[in-house]
Amino acid sequence: MKTMTLLRTATLTLALFSSAAMAEIITADRVIAIVNRNAITQVELNQKINAIRKNLEQQKVQLPPEQVLQEQVLERMILDQLQTQYAQQLGIRVDDNQLEMAINRIAAQNQMSLPVFRKKLEETGMSWRGFRDQIRQEMLLARLKDREIDSKVVVTESEIDDYLKLAANKEQMEYNLAQIFIPLPENAGPEQIQARRLRIQAAKKELETGAAFASVAASYSADQNANKGGSLGWRPAGSLPPAFTSLLDQLKAGGITDVVRSPAGFHLFKLLDKRSQQEQIVVDQSHVRHILIRSNEITSTTDAQQKLRQIRSRIEHGEKFEDLAKAFSDDASAPKGGDLGWLNPGETVPEFENAMNALKLGEVSQPVQSPFGFHLIRVDERRKQDVTLERARFKLRNELKQRKAEEQYDDWLRQLRDRAHVELRLKDE
């Protein structure tokens, strides 16, 4: 099981709650873009811009020119709209139960109960319904990306071996980065390439005259983090193409690379900081078995819990956990008697891990709900384990997968955009 994540809300805090909903409502509205058969209105654009403007002001980043900001935000809205339409065509949905679980996690990340979290949110002027719609949308896009991109990315053992050989005796680094990114359309012609190259060079010239990187990123970059000053956060070396890391290794903190071209477009990076990844890792591992009952159209959540309670009662009366797992579990581990093997911290979703950690050896949990369904959990053994080499391979696999996924996602978005019928009316009077 892998931890369920949200596309943009994993790091959501109350500081990011925009007061956009408090902005004065414009009564006159007009359509400013047609995306296939759907429309984007001026009011919707203004609401997004107000949110981003507030975020930039909180970060003390100089705002880009109004026209630039409008064009950037509208393009992001178009891409989100296209993805939403495609997800709906594929039948991808986020039901209310899944949404509630996600919102509860966000409240917990902010160290608040759900009622307190809702009260604080509404005090900012944002409606609870609007917040729920936003989270549902982000979950929908995350599921679409997982289906179309992440689940199809393959990293082979030989790729990991090759990277480790190249990295042998070298200090493994992480980089705290900010980026200015100018994308290239699929099958871009010479004129398009030259126009994009001139744009990234113009951004570089502004940086050379002393302009703040965050302000230039907000004005020029087409990356989704442009309105956060281009910040990418900490990126391990394995998640970046070698062409990027070779330039970053030559910089000191605060340095800016030359223009770098990738298949996706042109990049400028600012190295905010860097640090070594090398350390011994000893973790507490748990050897776990579980029985999973999924709720669906046929099995309600009440039925799933009741079924697990009956199974738990049979275990208490002497039947073997392993045999009942083989007979009833909906998980792929069923043929192995529900055996998940030795689990490291962070390898399961929080609901499962918290319940697992609270159990005594041999104790069977009450039904535990997770995004996958309902579980009975039993911990058979615990140990401390040096997982330095194992974790290095696991971490590298994720880094290489992240790199491939980002490259493929950018390419997929360009293709989705190129195939769509998009009619822009932003400059119409």
Side-chain angles (χ1 to χ4, degrees), residues 26 40 92 117 125 141 158-159 163 168 171-172 215 233 254 256 258 279 295-296 300-301 358 365 370 400 410:
I26 301 172
I40 296 175
I92 299 174
F117 178 79
L141 298 190
S158 61
E159 286 180 281
Y163 186 94
E171 189 175 22
Q172 297 302 296
S215 297
I256 297 172
D258 201 348
E279 59 178 340
S295 57
N296 49 42
S300 68
T301 57
S365 73
S370 84
L400 293 174
D410 288 340

Side-chain angles (χ1 to χ4, degrees), residues 193-424:
I193 294 172
Q194 180 61 14
R196 303 300 170 93
R197 182 182 285 111
L198 290 174
R199 182 168 175 78
I200 195 80
Q201 288 173 347
K204 188 170 186 293
K205 286 180 181 178
E206 288 199 22
L207 295 172
E208 290 170 346
T209 62
F213 192 95
S215 297
V216 177
S219 296
Y220 284 89
S221 183
D223 186 79
Q224 64 180 5
N225 297 303
N227 294 310
K228 300 176 184 177
S231 175
L232 299 177
W234 285 98
R235 294 295 181 95
S239 69
L240 300 169
F244 293 179
T245 57
S246 63
L247 288 174
L248 295 170
D249 286 338
Q250 300 171 29
L251 294 179
K252 295 181 180 180
I256 297 172
T257 67
D258 201 348
V259 174
V260 189
R261 181 173 174 181
S262 74
F266 295 101
H267 310 254
L268 274 172
F269 293 102
K270 180 174 183 178
L271 179 63
L272 304 175
D273 200 1
K274 58 184 173 182
R275 64 192 180 193
S276 173
Q277 291 180 276
Q278 292 179 338
E279 59 178 340
Q280 186 181 26
I281 304 173
V282 178
V283 301
D284 293 317
Q285 291 184 331
S286 299
H287 186 192
V288 180
R289 293 180 186 272
H290 82 135
I291 298 171
L292 170 68
I293 302 298
R294 300 182 189 274
S295 57
N296 49 42
E297 294 82 0
I298 299 174
T299 305
S300 68
T301 57
T302 301
D303 291 341
Q305 293 177 79
Q306 181 61 28
K307 187 173 182 180
L308 283 179
R309 291 191 187 97
Q310 292 171 353
I311 293 172
R312 189 174 187 275
S313 177
R314 291 171 65 173
I315 294 170
E316 289 178 335
H317 285 84
E319 294 190 55
K320 289 186 177 181
F321 190 106
E322 295 86 340
D323 293 341
L324 293 171
K326 290 177 181 178
F328 296 107
S329 182
D330 293 330
D331 190 61
S333 63
K336 298 183 292 183
D339 189 3
L340 296 175
W342 288 99
L343 297 180
N344 295 315
E347 287 188 351
T348 64
V349 293
E351 299 88 346
F352 188 100
E353 183 165 323
N354 292 337
M356 173 186 77
N357 290 339
L359 291 172
K360 298 176 182 178
L361 292 182
E363 180 185 2
V364 179
S365 73
Q366 295 291 336
V368 175
Q369 186 176 14
S370 84
F372 303 95
F374 292 86
H375 312 255
L376 291 182
I377 306 169
R378 189 182 78 187
V379 178
D380 292 340
E381 302 173 83
R382 288 193 172 100
R383 70 184 182 188
K384 289 189 178 294
Q385 183 76 3
D386 184 342
V387 294
T388 306
L389 293 178
E390 175 188 338
R391 184 61 62 88
R393 292 187 70 89
F394 178 80
K395 194 168 186 290
L396 180 58
R397 180 186 299 279
N398 286 339
E399 291 168 5
L400 293 174
K401 185 172 183 177
Q402 178 187 351
R403 183 208 301 176
K404 287 185 173 183
E406 287 181 353
E407 292 172 352
Q408 293 180 24
Y409 182 56
D410 288 340
D411 185 56
W412 180 79
L413 276 181
R414 287 200 306 273
Q415 293 181 42
L416 191 66
R417 178 70 165 82
D418 291 344
R419 291 196 304 266
H421 170 74
V422 178
E423 182 180 338
L424 298 178

Side-chain angles (χ1 to χ4, degrees), residues 2 67 75 119 122 156 173 215 234 329 331 395 400:
K2 56 184 181 180
Q67 182 179 343
E75 184 61 26
K119 184 174 182 292
E122 290 177 338
T156 65
M173 303 299 296
S215 297
W234 285 98
S329 182
D331 190 61
K395 194 168 186 290
L400 293 174

